[in-house]
Short mmCIF file of all heavy atoms in Angstrom, two decimals:
data_model
loop_
_atom_site.label_atom_id
_atom_site.label_comp_id
_atom_site.label_asym_id
_atom_site.label_seq_id
_atom_site.Cartn_x
_atom_site.Cartn_y
_atom_site.Cartn_z
N VAL A 9 -53.54 70.79 126.00
CA VAL A 9 -53.12 71.75 124.99
C VAL A 9 -51.63 71.52 124.73
O VAL A 9 -50.81 71.61 125.65
CB VAL A 9 -53.36 73.20 125.46
CG1 VAL A 9 -52.89 74.19 124.41
CG2 VAL A 9 -54.82 73.41 125.80
N VAL A 22 -40.87 65.06 106.29
CA VAL A 22 -39.81 65.01 105.28
C VAL A 22 -40.39 64.77 103.89
O VAL A 22 -41.34 64.01 103.71
CB VAL A 22 -38.78 63.91 105.64
CG1 VAL A 22 -37.71 63.78 104.57
CG2 VAL A 22 -38.15 64.21 106.99
N ALA A 42 -39.75 69.13 104.61
CA ALA A 42 -38.32 69.38 104.76
C ALA A 42 -37.53 68.61 103.72
O ALA A 42 -37.83 67.45 103.41
CB ALA A 42 -37.86 68.99 106.15
N ALA A 77 -33.05 77.97 115.89
CA ALA A 77 -32.54 79.15 116.59
C ALA A 77 -31.10 78.86 116.99
O ALA A 77 -30.72 77.71 117.19
CB ALA A 77 -33.37 79.45 117.83
N SER A 99 -26.58 78.03 99.07
CA SER A 99 -26.73 77.61 97.68
C SER A 99 -26.89 76.10 97.57
O SER A 99 -27.25 75.59 96.51
CB SER A 99 -25.52 78.07 96.86
OG SER A 99 -24.33 77.52 97.37
N ASP A 101 -27.09 72.29 100.52
CA ASP A 101 -27.25 71.88 101.91
C ASP A 101 -25.97 71.97 102.73
O ASP A 101 -26.00 71.86 103.95
CB ASP A 101 -27.86 70.49 102.00
CG ASP A 101 -26.94 69.39 101.50
OD1 ASP A 101 -25.94 69.68 100.82
OD2 ASP A 101 -27.25 68.21 101.77
N ALA A 133 -37.01 85.53 111.05
CA ALA A 133 -37.92 86.63 111.33
C ALA A 133 -38.14 87.55 110.13
O ALA A 133 -39.10 88.29 110.09
CB ALA A 133 -37.41 87.45 112.51
#
Side-chain angles (χ1 to χ4, degrees):
V9 179
V22 177
S99 60
D101 68 345

